[in-house]
Amino acid sequence: MQTYELRPIGRVRSPLTDRGAAPKQGDEGAPPASIAISPEFAEAMADLEVGATVIVLTWLHEGDRTVLSVHPRDDVTRPLTGVFSTRSPDRPNPVGLHVVTITGVDGTTLAVRDLEAVDGTPVIDIKPVLGPER
């Protein structure tokens, strides 16, 4: 099977340090966080603005890549479900998808809300949320 190389563009900075204590989704109580972008990617941040909603893709480095099915939301009363039908961080390629709002831009640091990733999580990309005007 062919493999592909990913290069992080930055890291999450968050008071969340314990995966088990982190909210399941960003709108479920995630504290304010930031994304420290590597200086070599500063130019790519040129048009990011406070108030913008963006999709942050992360590499969930603490995820178990051998997991193929889970009880959704860790609720054992729910039936086992294939990970491709869930948002579980445990999956063959642990890519995290986070819809966040930018609350500040300071140099190569983005302040954001609704990011439930733990401190140190690699960020692999940032994409705009497209609306009818795009």
Side-chain angles (χ1 to χ4, degrees), residues 43-118:
E43 183 179 343
M45 298 175 59
D47 302 300
L48 296 178
E49 299 176 342
V50 172
T53 302
V54 295
I55 299 168
V56 176
L57 298 169
T58 59
W59 188 262
L60 302 172
H61 62 295
E62 295 183 11
D64 181 342
R65 297 182 75 175
T66 66
V67 173
L68 300 178
S69 60
V70 296
H71 294 282
R73 302 186 69 81
D74 295 324
D75 180 351
V76 296
T77 66
R78 296 175 75 174
L80 278 174
T81 303
V83 295
F84 298 154
S85 295
T86 76
R87 295 288 301 268
S88 173
D90 298 318
R91 54 196 320 113
N93 285 309
V95 174
L97 176 75
H98 316 268
V99 178
V100 305
T101 301
I102 298 173
T103 59
V105 180
D106 183 12
T108 57
T109 300
L110 296 176
V112 296
R113 70 168 184 250
D114 296 336
L115 180 58
E116 77 283 7
V118 298

